[in-house]
mmCIF file of all heavy atoms in Angstrom:
data_model
loop_
_atom_site.group_PDB
_atom_site.id
_atom_site.type_symbol
_atom_site.label_atom_id
_atom_site.label_comp_id
_atom_site.label_asym_id
_atom_site.label_seq_id
_atom_site.Cartn_x
_atom_site.Cartn_y
_atom_site.Cartn_z
ATOM 1 N N LEU A 135 -23.708 16.180 7.125
ATOM 2 C CA LEU A 135 -24.180 16.354 8.502
ATOM 3 C C LEU A 135 -23.001 16.541 9.452
ATOM 4 O O LEU A 135 -22.060 15.754 9.449
ATOM 5 C CB LEU A 135 -24.997 15.128 8.925
ATOM 6 C CG LEU A 135 -25.440 15.038 10.390
ATOM 7 C CD1 LEU A 135 -26.371 16.194 10.758
ATOM 8 C CD2 LEU A 135 -26.112 13.697 10.667
ATOM 9 N N GLU A 136 -23.060 17.606 10.254
ATOM 10 C CA GLU A 136 -22.051 17.861 11.282
ATOM 11 C C GLU A 136 -22.721 17.720 12.640
ATOM 12 O O GLU A 136 -23.505 18.576 13.051
ATOM 13 C CB GLU A 136 -21.464 19.270 11.128
ATOM 14 C CG GLU A 136 -20.787 19.526 9.800
ATOM 15 C CD GLU A 136 -20.424 20.994 9.631
ATOM 16 O OE1 GLU A 136 -19.902 21.601 10.593
ATOM 17 O OE2 GLU A 136 -20.696 21.548 8.543
ATOM 18 N N LYS A 137 -22.411 16.623 13.336
ATOM 19 C CA LYS A 137 -23.014 16.353 14.630
ATOM 20 C C LYS A 137 -22.306 17.136 15.729
ATOM 21 O O LYS A 137 -21.134 16.942 16.000
ATOM 22 C CB LYS A 137 -22.954 14.861 14.950
ATOM 23 C CG LYS A 137 -23.886 13.988 14.141
ATOM 24 C CD LYS A 137 -25.352 14.313 14.410
ATOM 25 C CE LYS A 137 -25.744 14.055 15.843
ATOM 26 N NZ LYS A 137 -27.178 14.423 16.091
ATOM 27 N N GLY A 138 -23.065 18.025 16.363
ATOM 28 C CA GLY A 138 -22.538 18.734 17.521
ATOM 29 C C GLY A 138 -23.043 18.147 18.814
ATOM 30 O O GLY A 138 -22.573 18.513 19.895
ATOM 31 N N LEU A 139 -24.011 17.229 18.709
ATOM 32 C CA LEU A 139 -24.612 16.611 19.889
ATOM 33 C C LEU A 139 -24.270 15.129 19.941
ATOM 34 O O LEU A 139 -24.340 14.437 18.926
ATOM 35 C CB LEU A 139 -26.132 16.778 19.867
ATOM 36 C CG LEU A 139 -26.659 18.202 19.990
ATOM 37 C CD1 LEU A 139 -28.172 18.225 19.803
ATOM 38 C CD2 LEU A 139 -26.290 18.799 21.337
ATOM 39 N N PRO A 140 -23.935 14.621 21.113
ATOM 40 C CA PRO A 140 -23.668 13.186 21.232
ATOM 41 C C PRO A 140 -24.954 12.382 21.131
ATOM 42 O O PRO A 140 -26.046 12.875 21.424
ATOM 43 C CB PRO A 140 -23.054 13.065 22.630
ATOM 44 C CG PRO A 140 -23.582 14.241 23.385
ATOM 45 C CD PRO A 140 -23.716 15.343 22.378
ATOM 46 N N LEU A 141 -24.824 11.130 20.707
ATOM 47 C CA LEU A 141 -25.984 10.259 20.604
ATOM 48 C C LEU A 141 -26.418 9.800 21.987
ATOM 49 O O LEU A 141 -25.603 9.639 22.892
ATOM 50 C CB LEU A 141 -25.643 9.041 19.744
ATOM 51 C CG LEU A 141 -25.093 9.313 18.343
ATOM 52 C CD1 LEU A 141 -24.819 7.990 17.634
ATOM 53 C CD2 LEU A 141 -26.032 10.181 17.539
ATOM 54 N N GLY A 142 -27.720 9.588 22.144
ATOM 55 C CA GLY A 142 -28.228 9.054 23.401
ATOM 56 C C GLY A 142 -27.925 9.914 24.602
ATOM 57 O O GLY A 142 -27.702 9.413 25.702
ATOM 58 N N SER A 143 -27.935 11.229 24.418
ATOM 59 C CA SER A 143 -27.552 12.150 25.493
ATOM 60 C C SER A 143 -28.734 12.744 26.236
ATOM 61 O O SER A 143 -28.575 13.334 27.311
ATOM 62 C CB SER A 143 -26.714 13.304 24.916
ATOM 63 O OG SER A 143 -27.472 14.021 23.947
ATOM 64 N N GLY A 144 -29.928 12.635 25.658
ATOM 65 C CA GLY A 144 -31.083 13.286 26.255
ATOM 66 C C GLY A 144 -31.206 14.746 25.868
ATOM 67 O O GLY A 144 -31.955 15.505 26.488
ATOM 68 N N LEU A 145 -30.483 15.140 24.820
ATOM 69 C CA LEU A 145 -30.510 16.541 24.369
ATOM 70 C C LEU A 145 -31.102 16.676 22.972
ATOM 71 O O LEU A 145 -30.871 17.670 22.290
ATOM 72 C CB LEU A 145 -29.096 17.131 24.407
ATOM 73 C CG LEU A 145 -28.490 17.298 25.804
ATOM 74 C CD1 LEU A 145 -27.027 17.705 25.712
ATOM 75 C CD2 LEU A 145 -29.278 18.332 26.610
ATOM 76 N N GLY A 146 -31.868 15.690 22.541
ATOM 77 C CA GLY A 146 -32.538 15.794 21.246
ATOM 78 C C GLY A 146 -31.601 15.687 20.069
ATOM 79 O O GLY A 146 -31.762 16.414 19.076
ATOM 80 N N SER A 147 -30.647 14.782 20.134
ATOM 81 C CA SER A 147 -29.659 14.638 19.054
ATOM 82 C C SER A 147 -30.320 14.297 17.727
ATOM 83 O O SER A 147 -30.017 14.921 16.691
ATOM 84 C CB SER A 147 -28.636 13.566 19.433
ATOM 85 O OG SER A 147 -27.693 13.370 18.400
ATOM 86 N N SER A 148 -31.210 13.315 17.712
ATOM 87 C CA SER A 148 -31.860 12.932 16.453
ATOM 88 C C SER A 148 -32.743 14.054 15.926
ATOM 89 O O SER A 148 -32.804 14.309 14.719
ATOM 90 C CB SER A 148 -32.688 11.658 16.645
ATOM 91 O OG SER A 148 -33.711 11.838 17.611
ATOM 92 N N ALA A 149 -33.424 14.760 16.831
ATOM 93 C CA ALA A 149 -34.302 15.854 16.411
ATOM 94 C C ALA A 149 -33.513 17.009 15.815
ATOM 95 O O ALA A 149 -33.958 17.652 14.858
ATOM 96 C CB ALA A 149 -35.139 16.343 17.596
ATOM 97 N N ALA A 150 -32.335 17.296 16.375
ATOM 98 C CA ALA A 150 -31.514 18.389 15.840
ATOM 99 C C ALA A 150 -31.097 18.092 14.406
ATOM 100 O O ALA A 150 -31.137 18.972 13.533
ATOM 101 C CB ALA A 150 -30.293 18.608 16.721
ATOM 102 N N SER A 151 -30.701 16.847 14.131
ATOM 103 C CA SER A 151 -30.325 16.473 12.767
ATOM 104 C C SER A 151 -31.520 16.598 11.826
ATOM 105 O O SER A 151 -31.402 17.122 10.709
ATOM 106 C CB SER A 151 -29.799 15.033 12.743
ATOM 107 O OG SER A 151 -28.634 14.903 13.516
ATOM 108 N N ALA A 152 -32.666 16.103 12.272
ATOM 109 C CA ALA A 152 -33.866 16.144 11.439
ATOM 110 C C ALA A 152 -34.321 17.577 11.182
ATOM 111 O O ALA A 152 -34.675 17.934 10.050
ATOM 112 C CB ALA A 152 -34.993 15.347 12.105
ATOM 113 N N ALA A 153 -34.307 18.395 12.215
ATOM 114 C CA ALA A 153 -34.745 19.781 12.071
ATOM 115 C C ALA A 153 -33.836 20.556 11.128
ATOM 116 O O ALA A 153 -34.299 21.300 10.252
ATOM 117 C CB ALA A 153 -34.791 20.461 13.440
ATOM 118 N N ALA A 154 -32.527 20.386 11.296
ATOM 119 C CA ALA A 154 -31.581 21.098 10.430
ATOM 120 C C ALA A 154 -31.750 20.672 8.981
ATOM 121 O O ALA A 154 -31.674 21.501 8.057
ATOM 122 C CB ALA A 154 -30.155 20.849 10.899
ATOM 123 N N ALA A 155 -32.003 19.376 8.742
ATOM 124 C CA ALA A 155 -32.166 18.888 7.379
ATOM 125 C C ALA A 155 -33.447 19.405 6.742
ATOM 126 O O ALA A 155 -33.444 19.832 5.575
ATOM 127 C CB ALA A 155 -32.161 17.356 7.375
ATOM 128 N N ALA A 156 -34.551 19.369 7.477
ATOM 129 C CA ALA A 156 -35.823 19.858 6.937
ATOM 130 C C ALA A 156 -35.735 21.338 6.584
ATOM 131 O O ALA A 156 -36.203 21.773 5.521
ATOM 132 C CB ALA A 156 -36.941 19.617 7.948
ATOM 133 N N VAL A 157 -35.126 22.118 7.460
ATOM 134 C CA VAL A 157 -34.978 23.553 7.206
ATOM 135 C C VAL A 157 -34.067 23.794 6.005
ATOM 136 O O VAL A 157 -34.333 24.677 5.161
ATOM 137 C CB VAL A 157 -34.428 24.261 8.459
ATOM 138 C CG1 VAL A 157 -33.955 25.670 8.129
ATOM 139 C CG2 VAL A 157 -35.510 24.319 9.533
ATOM 140 N N ALA A 158 -32.993 23.021 5.883
ATOM 141 C CA ALA A 158 -32.064 23.200 4.761
ATOM 142 C C ALA A 158 -32.771 22.983 3.428
ATOM 143 O O ALA A 158 -32.617 23.782 2.491
ATOM 144 C CB ALA A 158 -30.878 22.252 4.906
#
Side-chain angles (χ1 to χ4, degrees):
L135 173 63
E136 300 171 44
K137 288 296 297 178
L139 294 174
L141 305 180
S143 60
L145 293 172
S147 178
S148 61
S151 297
V157 167

